[in-house]
Amino acid sequence: MGSGPEFDYCVVIDDDDDILMASRLLLRRLFAEVATARSPDEAFPLIETRTPDVVLLDANFARGATDAAEGLAWLEKLLGVDPEMVVVMITAHAGVQVAVAAMKRGATDFVSKPWSNDKLLATVRTAAALRRSRKAAVAGGAAPVPASPVVAGSALLGKSPAMARVHSLIARAAPTDANVLVLGENGTGKELAARELHRQSLRANEVMLTVDLGAVSEDLIDSELFGHVKGAFTDARADRVGRIQAADGGTLFLDEIGNLPLRLQPKLLTVLEQRQVTPVGANRPVPVDIRVIAATNLPLEKLHDERHFRQDLLFRLNTVEIDLPPLRERLEDVPELIEHYLGHYARRYGRAVPQIGAAARATLLSHDWPGNVRALRHALERAVILARDVPLEPEDFALVASPARIAPAAVVPPRPVDDLNLDRVERRLVEEALRKHGYNISLAANALGLSRAALYRRMEKHGL
């Protein structure tokens, strides 16, 4: 397949050889290299010589230990080496106290053993993406001009009038505890907006937990959000704290909220109204203090359709609504984005910042960017990797659409097929989209009307 691993390097620290083997095999889907160590002492050389995108750290190493004291101590040592390190705690004893203590001390997230493969991949992918965005913000964040409402350190770039309105809304909403709904097409930066809301909030020193509802299979969402008690169902061999409870005191970011099944929407509504959560199989609710930020790329007509989304839940989520503009509506921000990402990827790959020829710059400035900032970022990364000692030309960016303004495409009726098996038809469509877009996951997902996470799930389902 033309697409390689999404990230570079991951380190897993656990004293169980079976866990190390299983995680190494599984995480190779995401990382070019997965290093393993049976103890933190053994792992430190792996971390000091090469900065990992994510470290997975066991909470207990001493035989019989269940209090996570050793793992928490090592967490602090790791963050002492690199305060921006992204650490995901892994434990077989996932109580509320351990999860919250780990994240208050700087862990990004946690997973509990035995884990679901889908759950582990979703958690680690989100953590690695966070590390990438942190590095981008530190390495190349342009200082805002004095008149701009952009707060220093924000990774949400752009000074156009459209983005000025976004930054103004964030600055006004962030210090409150109001729930916020972030709207926007794929690739517009909804997670960056959520992180900016948390960073400017009164909860900034508390945990921000992300749940990507597009990356968690529907049968796991209930347990993932609300937690469960031992014996609640067949595989519930221990109590598990849910993301809502683990975010107590901080911010819960529900990405792709439109994927929340209708059957679970009343349960989330109850949490928001009563400020308490009842784990699956439990008899008593647990009080929680959270600020909820949700995001979706659903069109408004679908979001306001009771058949897809409960309106009483929508009213609870969108106390403040922030609509991120597509890149085609703020093309004046493209020059800033070009300079930022060219510099970022040149540093990442150890290259000189390439020059852009006049024709290429005109192409980039007039393109409609159907994949938004994510597509621009990908095009610039590719150009940096393949750059020669000459200015970049339009063909160096492999743009799939005309740089001219594109009229809405006519609807092409599907080709008649003899095989009406849904699984096989779905596989053919996914394969066709991947081939058409050169195995660019973002572009293929956009063509199929899916998120990247949803496309990855279908690729795994069909063994692609």
Side-chain angles (χ1 to χ4, degrees), residues 256-272:
E256 297 199 44
I257 187 68
N259 285 33
L260 184 66
L262 271 171
R263 65 181 177 82
L264 293 180
Q265 291 180 20
K267 196 168 181 178
L268 178 59
L269 177 63
T270 299
V271 171
L272 298 179

Side-chain angles (χ1 to χ4, degrees), residues 28-61:
R28 281 177 179 169
R29 303 183 194 182
L30 298 181
F31 298 92
E33 182 178 348
V34 180
T36 58
R38 298 192 78 255
S39 71
D41 282 323
E42 183 182 328
F44 257 81
L46 302 173
I47 292 168
E48 291 176 324
T49 56
R50 182 180 176 190
T51 303
D53 296 293
V54 178
V55 174
L56 278 81
L57 173 66
D58 193 15
N60 296 290
F61 291 92

Side-chain angles (χ1 to χ4, degrees), residues 166-328:
V166 170
H167 286 294
S168 176
L169 281 171
I170 289 174
R172 285 179 283 160
T176 75
D177 257 353
N179 295 332
V180 179
L181 179 63
V182 184
L183 303 173
E185 298 175 7
N186 285 331
T188 51
K190 295 187 289 297
E191 183 171 358
L192 291 178
R195 294 198 175 280
E196 193 59 27
L197 283 161
H198 176 72
R199 193 174 74 92
Q200 296 185 40
S201 76
L202 301 179
R203 299 172 181 260
N205 293 326
E206 300 294 335
V207 64
M208 175 178 169
L209 264 184
T210 296
V211 182
D212 185 349
L213 295 170
V216 182
S217 60
E218 184 172 331
D219 57 340
L220 293 176
I221 290 179
D222 199 351
S223 177
E224 179 71 12
L225 278 180
F226 306 102
H228 63 249
V229 298
K230 181 178 180 180
F233 47 86
T234 303
D235 293 327
R237 293 187 281 268
D239 289 356
R240 167 158 173 64
V241 60
R243 287 297 191 262
I244 292 172
Q245 198 174 348
D248 187 42
T251 301
L252 179 68
F253 175 45
L254 299 175
D255 199 7
E256 297 199 44
I257 187 68
N259 285 33
L260 184 66
L262 271 171
R263 65 181 177 82
L264 293 180
Q265 291 180 20
K267 196 168 181 178
L268 178 59
L269 177 63
T270 299
V271 171
L272 298 179
E273 288 178 336
Q274 300 180 7
R275 296 292 165 177
Q276 57 186 23
V277 60
T278 304
V280 178
N283 296 319
R284 295 182 180 179
V286 179
V288 289
D289 171 24
I290 56 172
R291 196 260 186 97
V292 174
I293 301 171
T296 182
N297 59 6
L298 280 182
L300 284 176
E301 59 270 20
K302 195 166 184 179
L303 195 61
H304 288 284
D305 185 340
E306 193 75 50
R307 292 171 298 177
H308 296 286
F309 208 86
R310 288 180 61 113
Q311 297 307 287
D312 47 1
L313 175 58
L314 178 61
F315 294 147
R316 281 286 181 178
L317 291 171
N318 71 344
T319 305
V320 176
E321 193 170 285
I322 297 176
D323 196 351
L324 293 182
L327 189 53
R328 63 183 175 275

Side-chain angles (χ1 to χ4, degrees), residues 155-169:
L156 197 62
L157 301 176
K159 301 183 181 71
S160 62
M163 287 305 293
R165 288 191 293 272
V166 170
H167 286 294
S168 176
L169 281 171

Side-chain angles (χ1 to χ4, degrees), residues 334-348:
V334 170
E336 178 187 356
L337 293 165
I338 290 173
E339 299 309 313
H340 172 83
Y341 286 113
L342 278 182
H344 167 66
Y345 287 117
R347 285 186 292 274
R348 177 176 176 182

